[in-house]
Amino acid sequence: MSEPGKNGLTYSDAGVDIDAGNLLVEKIKPHVRSTRRPGADGEIGGFGGLFDLKAAGFTDPVLVAANDGVGTKLKIAIDADKHDTVGIDLVAMCVNDLVVQGAEPLFFLDYFATGKLDPDQGASIVGGIAAGCREAGCALIGGETAEMPGMYAGGDYDLAGFAVGAAERGQLLPAGDIAEGDVILGLASSGVHSNGYSLVRKIVSLSGLAWDAPAPFGEGTLADVLMTPTRIYVKPLLKAIRETGKIKALAHITGGGFPENIPRVLPKHLAAEIDLDAIKAPAVFSWLAKTGGVAANEMLRTFNCGVGMIAVVKAEDAEKVTSVLTAEGETVFALGRMVAREEGAAGTIYKGTLAL
């Protein structure tokens, strides 16, 4: 008969370090506190995060929820050992999807899974998440850290985010009055954002450039420029929605580009006519297209090509909405208009040429 505990195995021997997890929680508490807002003022560490809708100022709210990840942009973060901004991407991908429905982001939770937990790396990632939450005005009220040896190799990790927002009943977007002749405004992106990175990494491998090589299309290293965080459009758009009341629809330009994302907010009888001549594509997109030999149509269905968000407004309201957004720091330009769509036709049509 064997003695109890003779093998002496511990959870740590299996590759899971409970102490490292506890240390990470202590390291991230100041980051979490920095995201407090009306409705959320609890500490992390409970079994669930609490949020008080009444304290947030809502009377008859409809909740809107979104979740997303960062995709293979994380591989660049891992290879370049640069982890402080991917959290901003994580928040941006979720909260930009809330604001397009007219909702104010209220709270956020994250999921961080890794093969071997490094508390300093984890704290750097959560620091980025907190920065994104502050920029979006939402509270980081909880999350999950999973150390999973055998599932993730070496320093690999993955992130997922979950955001909940609210809008007063009757104020959700898109509005039901989008009409032929309405103007489409484009809001400039900060770069590649968080979509198409499997193609980006393939093109970088074709180029033969290392992540620490000077970027051929901007200041800093290749990794620095490609890691530029996704722009968070929440506060300027909420201000424009509330101050003007003139925004009919918004679309977040993510994976699938214009042809996949714009039709999601349009009625079936209308199409978005996009003037490609109006787009000033950042140099990174020209470099990707030339180095990878990527055709313009493929660029437009993979990347944002310089336009991270679009807004649909009446022609006579375009100037007013543009001035509010510009005052809030956005770069805004007339991108196209709404036209009649025949049955079975594409929801996005192009005129002009994308300057790559």
Side-chain angles (χ1 to χ4, degrees):
M1 189 171 154
S2 61
E3 296 171 35
K6 184 181 177 188
N7 291 330
L9 279 174
T10 65
Y11 206 7
S12 181
D13 293 327
V16 179
D17 188 342
I18 292 171
D19 294 331
N22 291 336
L23 177 59
L24 174 60
V25 170
E26 289 309 309
K27 281 178 176 284
I28 66 176
K29 279 183 176 176
H31 292 307
V32 174
R33 284 188 204 112
S34 75
T35 70
R36 284 179 172 172
R37 55 152 290 155
D41 57 8
E43 280 280 0
I44 56 166
F47 286 98
L50 305 179
F51 193 90
D52 184 344
L53 275 166
K54 195 168 277 188
F58 287 90
T59 52
D60 186 19
V62 175
L63 293 179
V64 184
N67 71 308
D68 212 332
V70 183
T72 60
K73 188 173 189 176
L74 289 180
K75 283 298 287 180
I76 303 177
I78 292 160
D79 292 346
D81 195 24
K82 182 176 164 57
H83 310 282
D84 57 335
T85 59
V86 287
I88 300 173
D89 289 295
L90 183 67
V91 175
M93 295 304 288
C94 296
V95 297
N96 285 341
D97 279 358
L98 295 183
V99 76
V100 297
Q101 294 183 94
E104 175 189 340
L106 301 176
F107 59 86
F108 190 87
L109 298 98
D110 70 281
Y111 172 78
F112 167 47
T114 183
K116 176 72 179 160
L117 186 60
D118 174 343
D120 289 327
Q121 181 199 62
S124 182
I125 291 165
V126 176
I129 293 171
C133 284
R134 290 193 301 272
E135 198 178 332
C138 65
L140 179 58
I141 66 167
E144 168 71 359
T145 302
E147 192 172 24
M148 299 165 68
M151 283 286 286
Y152 295 91
D156 284 354
Y157 63 87
D158 199 9
L159 292 175
F162 310 84
V164 174
E168 292 293 357
R169 195 175 303 278
Q171 293 181 9
L172 290 166
L173 296 177
D177 60 346
I178 303 172
E180 202 173 333
D182 283 348
V183 168
I184 301 167
L185 301 175
L187 280 68
S189 69
S190 57
V192 187
H193 285 185
S194 296
N195 299 103
Y197 273 84
S198 294
L199 180 55
V200 169
R201 290 185 305 110
K202 185 137 185 102
I203 292 169
V204 170
S205 80
L206 284 172
S207 77
L209 292 173
W211 294 120
D212 59 358
F217 47 80
E219 291 180 18
T221 67
L222 188 60
D224 288 339
V225 182
L226 289 173
M227 289 295 297
T228 302
T230 305
R231 190 165 184 81
I232 293 174
Y233 298 96
V234 169
K235 289 180 180 176
L237 284 175
L238 285 176
K239 192 172 175 70
I241 289 167
R242 289 165 179 171
E243 282 194 7
T244 71
K246 302 298 185 184
I247 293 180
K248 294 187 176 191
L250 296 164
H252 184 199
I253 309 304
T254 54
F258 296 143
E260 297 296 328
N261 289 293
I262 298 177
R264 293 165 71 176
V265 298
L266 303 182
K268 298 293 182 210
H269 67 283
L270 292 174
E273 182 185 78
I274 303 295
D275 179 8
L276 298 178
D277 291 325
I279 300 171
K280 293 181 174 65
V284 59
F285 295 108
S286 300
W287 183 81
L288 289 168
K290 290 189 173 99
T291 309
V294 186
N297 267 7
E298 187 66 17
M299 292 292 293
L300 287 164
R301 59 175 286 195
T302 306
F303 301 113
N304 67 63
C305 291
V307 184
M309 182 74 69
I310 66 106
V312 179
V313 298
K314 266 186 185 171
E316 59 261 38
D317 297 328
E319 195 175 324
K320 186 176 187 181
V321 171
T322 298
S323 70
V324 173
L325 291 171
T326 303
E328 290 299 303
E330 297 301 329
T331 301
V332 187
F333 45 92
L335 181 64
R337 63 194 183 105
M338 303 310 307
V339 297
R341 174 175 15 168
E342 292 177 20
E343 197 173 335
T348 307
I349 54 177
Y350 303 120
K351 68 174 195 178
T353 310
L354 183 65
L356 289 171

